[in-house]
Amino acid sequence: QVQLVESGGGLVQAGGSLRLSCAASSIIPNISVMRWYRQAPGKERELVASIDRGGSTNYPNSVKGRFTISRDNARNTLYLEMNSLKPEDTAVYYCYVQRLMGLTYWGQGTQVTVSS
């Protein structure tokens, strides 16, 4: 059973930066897409970044230009570089991997708190 483990969350002041990592416990073959989601208290989980098997990335307007998703296939690791953080970025951040056959994996989440 593959496990995804996020790290890198924490408390940061507005305007600061954090880099989240998502490490897979073993190689995941035939990946279709890898994503980062977040969920703030009382809100629905929302997509913040995605990268497909071809390397194309996509971001919602709320984080575009501030967040960057990347991956290191050799290390089985997904990253999310977050700059110019705002208090509204405060949430639990989850990584997600989907394989071509539809099988999906979720990490356990890492808390990001941005103080004003």
Side-chain angles (χ1 to χ4, degrees), residues 101-114:
M101 297 302 293
L103 193 62
T104 61
Y105 307 91
W106 286 93
Q108 85 288 350
T110 185
Q111 176 71 46
V112 171
T113 303
V114 184

Side-chain angles (χ1 to χ4, degrees), residues 8-110:
L11 174 64
V12 64
Q13 288 188 333
S17 299
L18 284 173
R19 187 193 196 202
L20 304 184
S21 299
C22 172
S25 58
S26 60
I27 294 174
I28 303 175
N30 302 319
I31 291 174
S32 171
V33 65
M34 305 175 77
R35 296 172 177 153
W36 286 96
Y37 288 84
R38 69 185 180 189
Q39 188 166 20
K43 294 188 177 182
E44 293 187 355
R45 191 169 295 190
E46 64 171 341
L47 175 68
V48 294
S50 65
I51 182 167
D52 66 20
R53 58 189 285 111
S56 296
T57 59
N58 195 29
Y59 308 90
N61 288 335
S62 57
V63 307
K64 193 174 293 183
R66 300 188 298 122
F67 289 11
T68 303
I69 188 172
S70 62
R71 65 187 181 206
D72 184 334
N73 294 330
R75 290 182 168 82
N76 301 323
T77 302
L78 180 71
Y79 301 100
L80 184 68
E81 185 76 33
M82 304 185 296
N83 298 313
S84 303
L85 282 162
K86 305 175 181 180
E88 52 263 44
D89 294 319
T90 295
V92 178
Y93 284 70
Y94 300 89
C95 62
Y96 165 94
V97 174
Q98 180 174 320
R99 296 177 60 182
L100 289 174
M101 297 302 293
L103 193 62
T104 61
Y105 307 91
W106 286 93
Q108 85 288 350
T110 185

